[in-house]
């Protein structure tokens, strides 16, 4: 009889404990979930979730670069840090390039944007590419990943009713979403005045994320001096271009020459991991198109190529 | 206490009738003792100890496979020892005279491993696992025999079963537990799937062919061929120079001792004949890289020729060989049509043929007293002299085929440009073969091959257009640093194609797995020129 009574009390205590113990981790996980939701929301503030996390701007973050000429390449007399591969030709240090109007994205492509692509398509990405705060530039992406993302986004923008009319018009007229070629990138970075850095001719660590320890959220560095209002054209991550690596002068029509050579594609702008010499607007890096590195990302362009 | 007697114990005598095929005239020595029960433990212990060698320790799953197999054997032994103690039973070994079909076959198998392994290192790495399988097989076979009767026929029987199984298929280290299962199934097939033949109980299926056939079906239907080394085994035999001649000479030994000349020779003749006919009609070879694939040539000498599971009469053997040749020929196309690996062709038809041997032997009885057949040595009564005559004909036939370059000589199907041209000309299956070859080379990391595949899918000329797949191949080509792949990825509306790079040639000219990575460029171009790459012929001079 006593034994039965003891068992009854034991069961009662257990019954009381179960909801308390059960609720504890639940409460903790609710708090965690709220916190993580808040973090995510803060990371994607300023970006439109329904538009694949493109910037909440009139042209979804695409900035017009007006038609006109600019000075490409480096003059070592003005820029002592210039590398040999920035020389225009045997006879000339720099060249003048005339480009038609194009649109380039204000920010580097973010992890949120690339994740939207990966989730929608099942595209196989390096898992490292999707790690980190959502508003940081995506890295660990190859040149082919960048092209795949651009192709996907173009199709989405074409079919979406929410795509701003000017963009929709451009795309309907045969303009393409891609990654910039070298000249498009360099003009957008240095402007029409031939600057060594996007903000001027002197290095300035307050203007860009270089000589640092890791990526920063895109647009973290204000650059009112930058001619076209673009962010992170210096530093944060190197940016893929759609130009094969070959000696200047730049010629957009010679992409299909030297097909017998092993492929190397130009990347621009330096990264958090580089010193000021690689953060210059004329620097020409190159990488294997399959390379996925924590310091290489990309940005987009819409042009009539 | 071990006792040796000249006769089997009376208790086990009736059950011993089921012992596989010991000749009536043998006077086997019988060892009987309670301690014999521990003999499987010795094999198991040796098997277990092998798991501590570096070859096995290098892969955790392989180690666990060994330990799992050991556990099965140990539990089975404990169960048997306890049962024998309870019932007072003892078990015995029958020490039969070594049977030539075991040790001669095993020696021929071993010689093939030695020669092939000299040129393909994975065979050397597999040697320890062969020993392990032998130990496992002996322990398993003993336990299975003693579970069903009192005696075990101790001899070389497991050797040819293990060796011939592994000559055609073995599992990768990560899946090696399936290898032990495959071996176990082979022995179970021999033990349980039996029939009366000529008044004696005997196994229906060639044990290795039975388990190979069964596992081949499973691997095909589950699309898990990549668990095995099967495709590599089938293609790397040809790395050994003069392999056809080597197999032919080894085959002569088997033919001499076991009178299976008619089986092997008729199968080979059918395959040579059908291949030649196909080429004459279509202008392309039937088999991709040879008149008879080397692994098939091996199979028709050492897999289908088990005397216990093939017909007894010469005309029966002739029919058996012809059916094997026809079966392989047909299966090659059937497997291709289903997108399955074609190397299974030589394995799948053997069990079916094993099932037909009694029917074949009965059918040819109607040819008894046919004097024409008797004169050709094809009478129903086998004769040693007739076998020698058949061997002579086979030697002349093989020599002729060799002289006209149909065995070890260079084969036209080895050349990718040949298939490109044949595809352009619209020859049967040529475009499918071209795609198959390019797909294989793309998987081997040839950027050129990936770009070619992308171009085919983009243009839709030889295969229905599939833009998404084209982009996937272009991206792969690009990541393999093939520049044309990158520009095609940028703009698939204008397809760029170019010749293979040196690196691509090192992959495209491997012919079954030769390592050409260190070959000087001049030699590589010379080799490419031999394989009809026109651009390579002009590059030879520039690299000298």
């Amino acid at each position: 009889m006593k034994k039965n009574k003891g068992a009854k009390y034991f069961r009662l205590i257990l019954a009381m404990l179960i909801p308390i113990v059960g609720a504890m981790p639940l409460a903790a996980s609710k708090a965690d979930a709220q916190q993580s939701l808040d973090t995510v929301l803060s990371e994607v503030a300023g970006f439109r979730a329904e538009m694949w996390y493109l910037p909440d701007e009139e042209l979804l973050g695409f900035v017009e670069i007006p038609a006109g000429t600019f000075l490409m390449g480096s003059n070592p007399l003005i820029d002592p840090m210039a590398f040999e591969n920035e020389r225009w030709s045997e006879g000339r240090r720099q060249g003048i390039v005339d480009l038609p109007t194009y649109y380039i994205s204000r920010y580097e492509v973010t992890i949120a944007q690339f994740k939207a692509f990966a989730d929608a398509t099942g595209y196989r990405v390096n898992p490292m590419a999707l790690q980190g705060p959502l508003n940081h530039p995506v890295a660990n992406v190859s040149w082919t990943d960048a092209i795949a993302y651009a192709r996907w986004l173009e199709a989405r923008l074409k079919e979406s009713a929410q795509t701003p009319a000017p963009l929709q018009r451009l795309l309907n007229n045969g303009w393409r979403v891609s990654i910039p070629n070298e000249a498009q990138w360099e003009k957008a970075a240095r402007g029409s005045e031939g600057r060594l850095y996007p903000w001027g001719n002197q290095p300035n660590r307050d203007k860009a994320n270089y000589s640092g320890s890791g990526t920063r959220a895109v647009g973290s560095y204000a650059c009112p001096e930058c001619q076209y209002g673009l962010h992170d054209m210096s530093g944060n991550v190197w940016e893929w271009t759609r130009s094969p690596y070959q000696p200047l002068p730049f010629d957009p029509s010679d992409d299909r020459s030297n097909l017998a050579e092993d492929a190397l594609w130009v990347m621009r702008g330096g990264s958090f991991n580089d010193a000021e010499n690689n953060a210059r607007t004329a620097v020409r890096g190159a990488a294997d198109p399959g390379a996925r590195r924590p310091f290489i990302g990309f940005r987009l362009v819409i042009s009539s190529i | 206490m071990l006792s040796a007697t000249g006769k089997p114990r009376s208790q086990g005598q009736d059950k011993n009738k089921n012992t596989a095929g010991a000749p009536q005239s043998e006077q086997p020595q019988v060892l009987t003792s309670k301690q014999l029960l521990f003999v499987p433990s010795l094999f198991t212990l040796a098997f277990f100890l092998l798991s501590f060698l570096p070859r096995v320790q290098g892969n955790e799953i392989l180690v666990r496979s060994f330990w799992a197999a050991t556990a099965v054997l140990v539990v089975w032994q404990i169960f048997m020892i306890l049962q024998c103690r309870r019932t007072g039973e003892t078990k015995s070994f029958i020490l039969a005279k070594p049977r030539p079909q075991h040790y001669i076959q095993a020696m021929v198998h071993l010689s093939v491993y030695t020669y092939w392994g000299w040129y393909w290192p994975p065979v050397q790495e597999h040697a320890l696992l062969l020993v392990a399988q032998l130990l496992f097989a002996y322990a398993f076979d003993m336990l299975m025999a003693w579970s069903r009767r009192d005696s075990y026929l101790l001899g070389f029987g497991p050797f040819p079963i293990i060796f011939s199984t592994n000559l055609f298929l073995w599992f990768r280290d990560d899946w090696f537990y399936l290898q032990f299962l495959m071996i176990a199934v082979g022995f179970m097939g021999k033990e349980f799937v039996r029939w009366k033949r000529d008044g004696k109980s005997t196994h229906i299926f060639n044990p290795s062919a039975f388990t190979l056939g069964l596992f081949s079906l499973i691997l095909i239907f589950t699309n898990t061929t990549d668990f095995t080394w099967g495709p590599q085994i089938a293609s790397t035999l040809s790395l050994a120079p003069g392999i056809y001649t080597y197999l032919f000479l080894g085959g002569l030994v088997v033919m001499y001792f076991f009178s299976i000349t008619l089986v092997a020779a008729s199968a080979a003749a059918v395959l040579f004949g059908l291949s030649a006919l196909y080429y004459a009609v279509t202008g392309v070879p039937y088999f991709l890289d040879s008149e008879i694939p080397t692994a098939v040539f091996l199979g028709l000498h050492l897999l289908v020729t088990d005397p216990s599971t093939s017909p007894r009469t010469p005309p029966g053997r002739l029919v058996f060989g012809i059916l094997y040749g026809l079966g392989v020929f047909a299966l090659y196309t059937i497997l291709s049509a289903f997108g399955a690996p074609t190397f299974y062709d030589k394995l799948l038809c053997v069990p079916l043929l094993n099932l037909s041997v009694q029917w074949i032997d009965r059918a040819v009885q109607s040819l008894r007293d046919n004097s024409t057949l008797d004169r050709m040595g094809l009478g129903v009564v086998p004769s040693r002299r007739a076998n020698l005559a058949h061997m002579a004909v086979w030697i002349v036939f093989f020599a002729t085929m060799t002289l006209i370059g149909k065995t070890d000589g260079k084969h036209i199907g080895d050349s990718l440009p040949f298939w490109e041209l044949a595809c352009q000309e619209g020859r049967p299956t040529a475009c499918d073969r071209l795609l198959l070859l390019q797909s294989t080379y793309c998987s081997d990391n040839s950027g050129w091959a990936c770009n070619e595949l992308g171009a085919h899918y983009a243009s839709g000329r030889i295969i229905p257009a599939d833009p998404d797949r084209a982009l996937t191949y272009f991206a792969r080509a690009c990541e393999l640093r093939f520049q044309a792949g990158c520009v095609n990825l940028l703009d698939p509306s204008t397809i760029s194609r170019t010749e293979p790079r040196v690196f691509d040639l090192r992959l495209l000219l491997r012919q079954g797995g030769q390592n050409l990575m260190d070959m000087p460029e001049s030699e590589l171009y010379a080799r490419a020129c031999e394989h009809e790459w026109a651009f390579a012929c002009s590059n030879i001079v520039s690299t000298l």
Side-chain angles (χ1 to χ4, degrees):
Chain A
M1 188 71 184
K2 250 187 178 178
K3 200 178 172 184
N4 282 347
K5 213 173 179 182
K8 195 177 166 187
Y9 282 131
F10 181 66
R11 277 201 295 274
L12 189 66
I13 291 166
L14 259 185
M16 286 162 66
L17 274 175
I18 285 169
I20 296 168
V21 173
M24 276 164 61
L26 193 66
S29 67
K30 266 186 183 167
D32 284 350
Q34 185 59 48
Q35 194 181 356
S36 107
L37 184 64
D38 291 346
T39 309
V40 167
L41 288 174
S42 72
E43 283 173 3
V44 296
F47 294 88
R48 290 175 63 181
E50 81 285 6
M51 291 301 282
W52 316 286
Y53 297 99
L54 291 173
D56 188 7
E57 296 179 16
E58 192 185 343
L59 293 181
L60 298 174
F62 285 97
V63 175
E64 181 182 344
I65 310 293
T69 59
F70 83 104
L71 203 56
M72 190 171 179
S74 285
N75 181 350
L77 297 175
I78 300 169
D79 180 3
M81 287 188 278
F83 292 106
E84 184 57 32
N85 69 352
E86 297 164 22
R87 188 182 179 92
W88 188 252
S89 66
E90 287 286 317
R92 291 172 60 189
R93 295 183 175 112
Q94 288 178 296
I96 295 171
V97 178
D98 192 7
L99 292 176
T101 301
Y102 61 97
Y103 294 77
I104 193 163
S105 51
R106 190 183 303 285
Y107 307 112
E108 290 162 333
V109 171
T110 63
I111 290 176
Q113 291 163 5
F114 198 74
K115 188 172 183 308
F117 156 65
D119 290 346
T121 60
Y123 186 86
R124 284 176 64 184
V125 300
N126 180 343
M128 297 283 288
L130 304 182
Q131 286 175 12
L134 293 171
N135 54 356
H136 278 226
V138 67
N140 291 295
V141 285
S142 68
W143 186 86
T144 55
D145 296 338
I147 299 294
Y149 172 76
R151 182 168 281 122
W152 170 80
L153 186 65
E154 179 182 302
R156 299 292 77 75
L157 289 172
K158 271 184 175 173
E159 70 190 11
S160 171
Q162 295 190 61
T163 301
L167 288 187
Q168 190 72 267
R169 225 174 4 256
L170 291 173
L171 295 173
N172 288 341
N173 286 336
W175 287 43
R176 308 290 309 269
V177 178
S178 185
I179 54 176
N181 64 32
E182 268 201 279
Q184 288 170 332
W185 193 94
E186 190 168 326
K187 180 179 178 183
R190 73 193 316 181
S192 53
E193 299 162 13
R195 294 173 181 173
L196 304 189
Y197 295 92
W199 51 85
N201 286 339
Q202 295 303 318
N204 184 345
R205 287 192 60 193
D206 294 334
K207 299 287 177 190
N209 177 24
Y210 61 88
S211 300
S213 55
T215 58
R216 302 286 298 271
V218 297
S220 293
Y221 291 83
C223 185
E225 303 88 348
C226 294
Q227 186 170 347
Y228 301 114
L230 308 180
H231 291 264
D232 304 310
M233 292 302 281
S234 276
N236 224 8
V237 286
W238 285 94
E239 296 174 16
W240 286 114
T241 73
R242 61 162 198 277
S243 297
Y245 184 71
Q246 47 201 5
L248 295 177
F250 172 77
D251 179 356
S253 65
D254 67 357
D255 284 4
R256 289 179 191 250
S257 62
N258 291 330
L259 291 183
E261 299 290 322
D262 277 356
L264 275 180
W265 290 81
V266 174
M267 54 184 193
R268 292 297 206 112
S271 75
F272 65 87
N273 201 29
D274 290 282
E276 58 195 33
N277 60 339
N278 277 343
R280 292 176 308 110
T281 54
V283 159
R284 306 177 70 217
D288 189 318
R292 291 176 175 86
R293 301 282 181 270
F295 44 81
I296 306 179
F298 63 102
R299 78 174 66 217
L300 296 175
V301 72
I302 299 181
S303 64
S304 58
I305 44 166
Chain B
M1 176 83 182
L2 201 72
S3 70
T5 65
K7 286 183 178 175
R9 286 162 61 253
S10 58
Q11 190 188 349
Q13 225 162 18
D14 288 340
K15 291 180 183 175
N16 287 343
K17 282 180 182 172
N18 276 339
T19 304
Q24 300 283 338
S25 56
E26 278 181 11
Q27 286 295 317
Q29 194 180 21
V30 178
L31 297 178
T32 307
S33 163
K34 283 184 179 176
Q35 277 73 24
L36 282 183
L37 280 173
F38 293 96
V39 173
S41 313
L42 296 176
F43 282 94
T44 308
L45 179 64
F47 173 75
F48 178 66
L49 290 176
L50 287 183
S51 71
F52 293 96
L53 293 177
R55 168 68 183 86
V56 181
Q57 286 287 319
N59 183 302
E60 198 181 329
I61 297 175
L62 187 58
V63 174
R64 287 183 188 175
S65 303
F66 269 69
W67 291 356
T70 305
V72 170
L73 294 174
V74 167
V75 169
W76 198 350
Q77 279 160 67
I78 290 170
F79 179 76
M80 178 166 291
I81 289 167
L82 290 177
Q83 196 181 33
C84 286
R85 281 199 180 154
R86 193 163 45 82
T87 60
E89 273 184 87
T90 54
K91 302 293 181 186
S92 62
F93 281 132
I94 300 175
L95 298 178
K97 194 178 159 191
R99 300 169 72 178
Q101 60 261 54
H102 292 160
Y103 66 83
I104 289 180
Q105 293 258 28
M107 282 194 286
V108 175
H109 290 147
L110 201 56
S111 76
V112 174
Y113 279 113
T114 309
Y115 187 55
W116 173 36
W118 185 265
Y119 293 95
W120 196 51
V123 177
Q124 298 162 29
E125 291 165 20
H126 189 62
L128 181 82
L129 300 182
L130 272 178
V131 175
Q133 288 174 71
L134 276 171
L135 293 169
F136 173 79
Y138 268 104
F140 186 90
D141 200 23
M142 277 177 209
L143 290 168
M144 192 166 58
W146 282 343
S147 297
R148 288 171 51 79
R149 52 186 173 271
D150 291 339
S151 61
Y152 173 71
L153 183 67
L154 187 62
F156 290 103
F159 275 80
I161 297 175
I162 299 298
F163 285 171
S164 65
T165 304
N166 283 261
L167 270 177
F168 298 95
L169 197 69
W170 74 70
F171 281 85
R172 292 180 182 275
D173 288 0
D174 285 348
W175 305 96
F176 207 76
Y177 50 90
L178 293 174
Q179 185 77 14
F180 294 127
L181 184 63
M182 184 164 74
I183 297 302
V185 168
F187 280 91
M188 286 193 284
K190 175 169 164 271
E191 182 70 30
F192 294 105
V193 188
R194 304 176 73 85
W195 59 11
K196 288 268 183 200
R197 193 173 170 200
D198 299 340
K200 280 171 63 181
S201 168
T202 183
H203 51 281
I204 299 173
F205 297 110
N206 173 338
S208 47
F210 170 69
T211 194
L212 283 168
L214 191 63
F215 273 72
S216 295
L217 278 178
I218 295 168
L219 291 166
I220 289 169
F221 283 115
T222 55
N223 196 19
T224 49
T225 297
D226 56 343
F227 288 7
T228 75
W229 283 89
Q232 290 79 9
I233 290 169
S235 61
T236 56
L237 273 166
S238 56
L239 293 181
I243 188 68
Y244 284 95
T245 309
Y246 189 86
L247 294 175
F248 164 75
L249 293 173
L252 288 181
V253 176
V254 183
M255 287 173 175
Y256 176 79
F257 282 101
F258 310 119
S259 301
I260 49 80
T261 313
L262 284 170
V263 177
S266 59
V270 164
L271 286 166
F272 273 125
L274 289 176
S275 287
L277 184 67
Y278 186 87
Y279 183 73
V281 172
T282 64
V284 293
Y286 184 74
F287 295 109
L288 202 56
D289 55 2
S290 53
E291 295 302 307
I292 302 181
T294 42
V296 173
F297 198 66
L298 173 70
L300 60 87
H301 280 104
L302 294 175
L303 183 67
V304 74
T305 50
D306 173 14
S308 314
T309 54
S310 52
R312 302 262 157 86
T313 59
R317 285 174 181 162
L318 184 74
V319 172
F320 192 74
I322 290 170
L323 289 176
Y324 181 70
L326 291 173
V328 170
F329 198 81
L331 278 168
Y332 186 79
T333 290
I334 293 168
L335 291 169
S336 302
F338 285 100
T342 52
F343 78 92
Y344 291 116
D345 56 359
K346 61 197 167 290
L347 307 177
L348 289 173
C349 56
V350 185
L352 290 176
L353 288 174
N354 290 154
L355 273 176
S356 69
V357 290
Q358 296 217 56
W359 172 81
I360 293 172
D361 268 339
R362 268 200 304 273
V364 298
Q365 285 303 322
S366 59
L367 302 173
R368 190 178 286 277
D369 303 327
N370 184 319
S371 56
T372 313
L373 288 178
D374 282 343
R375 274 200 299 278
M376 292 167 68
L378 292 173
V380 290
V381 181
S383 101
R384 191 152 194 79
R385 205 169 142 211
N387 184 52
L388 289 172
H390 298 149
M391 283 178 69
V393 173
W394 167 236
I395 290 167
V396 170
F397 180 78
F398 182 82
T400 310
M401 298 309 288
T402 302
L403 283 174
I404 59 174
K406 297 293 181 190
T407 56
D408 285 313
K410 181 178 159 294
H411 189 262
I412 195 165
D414 284 335
S415 155
L416 255 178
F418 166 81
W419 291 107
E420 283 179 341
L421 185 65
C423 176
Q424 277 172 24
E425 291 171 351
R427 303 215 177 261
T429 73
C431 294
D432 291 341
R433 303 286 182 87
L434 179 65
L435 291 169
L436 176 70
L437 282 171
Q438 288 176 343
S439 176
T440 306
Y441 291 125
C442 177
S443 303
D444 287 349
N445 292 336
S446 162
W448 174 85
C450 298
N451 190 56
E452 289 295 301
L453 279 173
H456 296 317
Y457 281 107
S459 71
R461 200 169 46 80
I462 65 169
I463 195 165
D466 185 340
D468 287 341
R469 194 177 269 201
L471 289 176
T472 304
Y473 280 119
F474 288 143
R476 180 155 172 73
C478 179
E479 294 206 2
L480 292 166
R481 305 182 71 178
F482 196 74
Q483 184 71 306
C486 301
V487 298
N488 288 335
L489 186 64
L490 270 178
D491 180 11
S493 62
T494 313
I495 303 298
S496 286
R497 297 168 81 171
T498 184
E499 304 293 359
R501 301 163 298 179
V502 169
F503 176 75
D504 294 304
L505 288 178
R506 294 185 193 284
L507 300 170
L508 301 176
L509 299 170
R510 286 189 311 162
Q511 271 175 270
Q514 292 178 62
N515 184 355
L516 305 182
M517 286 301 156
D518 298 324
M519 180 178 268
E521 279 189 27
S522 56
E523 283 179 40
L524 195 68
Y525 281 127
R527 188 179 171 87
C529 183
E530 279 175 23
H531 284 77
E532 300 176 34
W533 292 98
F535 80 97
C537 302
S538 54
N539 281 4
I540 298 172
V541 182
S542 63
T543 53
L544 285 175

